[in-house]
């Protein structure tokens, strides 16, 4: 069965697609839970399957209890959890990287300030790349909660490094 999640439109929506798991189901609940224990909460949206057994829904991230972070997205049919996958919404960190990159572009010398900005950007980029890889791996082994902790740890560390290097609309 297929189950896909994409973050799009500058992190304003989650596009969720699923193929029915139980052929008798005509709909499913999509349950999106925040993995971070400091901001617990969940949001449920209804998804209807078409005649071919495929469903699609766009969930505004403003409906979630946090705009960014690590979330667990589950397909629930007739009260039975059929599949879960992690999703990383990271526009806050992406904006931080944009600001750091802008600082690097403005550097006209090989000074210590530029070196520390580059080191900071590298650390943030590597943490996000590693977190995204963990999301992909966790999508194939969804029963291992260690992956969710790993993704959250890397996201939180990137966020900590960014501190007030926030760009965009933070």
């Amino acid at each position: 069965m297929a189950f896909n999640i994409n973050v799009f439109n500058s992190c304003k929506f989650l596009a969720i697609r699923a193929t029915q798991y139980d052929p008798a189901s005509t709909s499913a609940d999509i349950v999106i839970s925040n993995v971070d224990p400091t901001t617990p909460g969940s949001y449920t949206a209804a998804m209807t399957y078409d005649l071919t057994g495929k469903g699609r829904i766009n969930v505004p991230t403003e409906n979630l209890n946090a705009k960014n972070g690590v979330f667990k997205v589950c397909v629930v049919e007739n009260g039975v959890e059929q599949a879960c996958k992690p999703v990383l919404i990271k526009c806050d960190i992406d904006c931080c990287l944009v600001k750091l990159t802008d600082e690097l572009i403005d550097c006209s010398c090989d000074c210590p300030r530029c070196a520390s900005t580059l080191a900071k950007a590298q650390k943030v980029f590597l943490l996000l790349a590693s977190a995204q890889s963990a999301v992909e791996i966790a999508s194939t082994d969804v029963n291992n909660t260690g992956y969710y902790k790993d993704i959250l740890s890397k996201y939180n560390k990137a966020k900590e490094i960014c501190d007030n290097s926030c760009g965009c609309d933070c």
Side-chain angles (χ1 to χ4, degrees), residues 29-140:
D29 285 331
I30 303 299
V31 180
I32 305 167
S33 305
N34 195 335
V35 173
D36 190 342
T38 63
T39 54
S42 65
Y43 174 78
T44 301
M47 181 176 66
T48 303
Y49 295 122
D50 63 19
L51 294 176
T52 65
K54 295 178 182 173
R56 177 182 210 138
I57 187 169
N58 291 333
V59 176
T61 55
E62 68 184 22
N63 292 351
L64 307 178
N65 66 327
K67 286 178 70 173
N68 296 283
V70 182
F71 297 85
K72 181 178 181 180
V73 181
C74 297
V75 176
V76 179
E77 293 178 348
N78 300 319
V80 178
E81 189 176 278
Q82 299 290 350
C84 294
K85 286 188 176 185
V87 65
L88 175 62
I89 305 174
K90 58 181 181 58
C91 278
D92 56 341
I93 308 298
D94 288 341
C95 287
C96 167
L97 281 172
V98 167
K99 183 173 183 204
L100 291 170
T101 302
D102 288 344
E103 287 178 30
L104 289 168
I105 289 171
D106 291 339
C107 281
S108 59
C109 64
D110 193 16
C111 62
R113 183 184 69 80
C114 293
S116 66
T117 300
L118 177 59
K120 188 176 191 178
Q122 288 171 327
K123 288 177 189 175
V124 171
F125 179 81
L126 290 172
L127 284 163
L128 277 184
S130 181
Q132 195 60 51
S133 292
V135 166
E136 297 302 319
I137 294 167
S139 293
T140 62

